[in-house]
Amino acid sequence: MQVGVQQSVLTAEAAATALQAAVAHAESLGIRINVALADSSGVQAGFLRMPGAFLHSIEIAIDKAYTAASFGFPTSQWPAIFAEDEALRTIAHRPRLVAFGGGVPIRQDGVLIGGIGVSGGSAEQDEACAKAGLRAIGIES
């Protein structure tokens, strides 16, 4: 009987690169963000806050990364999911679930290895920053 499994995780170097790239994209947009990374278990793997970014956005960014890592799809997909299944709307009240854009799963070779979450701009700007972070480490979302 196999008792354990291997788990792929983001390296510290890749996490730092993704965080910096998300911030660089935010700077190009003229916004200030908080950006967080979670591993596939939802455990925080990295965080960066731009000076002047909204304080409340710290937890939102962390929870966007957690939500993307735990469900494996972008947080921007929740409104469509809720529209299709009314019963699922109750999940929107769960702690740490963020149901608007800015959280993107991180997949390597089809395997979910984490999530990145950004908060500070519009949902679209946040998602663009998250995707810029992933592109910097060679991952297309």
Side-chain angles (χ1 to χ4, degrees), residues 32-34 49-59 119-121:
R32 293 183 210 119
I33 64 165
N34 294 289
R49 177 175 182 269
M50 292 176 73
F54 299 122
L55 294 178
H56 198 77
S57 289
I58 294 169
E59 293 297 322
S119 184

Side-chain angles (χ1 to χ4, degrees):
M1 165 181 17
Q2 183 176 345
V3 187
V5 296
Q6 284 190 319
Q7 180 182 11
S8 295
V9 296
L10 207 57
T11 66
E13 180 183 9
T17 298
L19 293 169
Q20 290 290 343
V23 165
H25 191 72
E27 288 173 340
S28 77
L29 297 175
I31 61 174
R32 293 183 210 119
I33 64 165
N34 294 289
V35 57
L37 289 155
D39 68 17
S40 61
S41 300
V43 176
Q44 190 170 328
F47 179 82
L48 190 56
R49 177 175 182 269
M50 292 176 73
F54 299 122
L55 294 178
H56 198 77
S57 289
I58 294 169
E59 293 297 322
I60 295 170
I62 292 167
D63 289 348
K64 284 181 182 184
Y66 178 84
T67 301
S70 63
F71 285 97
F73 57 82
T75 58
S76 60
Q77 290 183 5
W78 279 108
I81 292 168
F82 293 150
E84 292 174 12
D85 189 341
E86 201 170 307
L88 276 179
R89 290 183 193 160
T90 60
I91 199 172
H93 302 291
R94 300 274 313 159
R96 301 199 63 193
L97 183 110
V98 178
F100 51 90
V104 180
I106 304 170
R107 292 186 183 279
Q108 182 177 37
D109 300 325
V111 176
L112 181 66
I113 63 170
I116 183 170
V118 175
S119 184
S122 68
E124 294 78 16
Q125 290 170 321
D126 290 349
E127 188 163 316
C129 292
K131 288 180 176 183
L134 295 183
R135 280 192 305 276
I137 58 173
I139 295 177
E140 291 296 323
S141 57

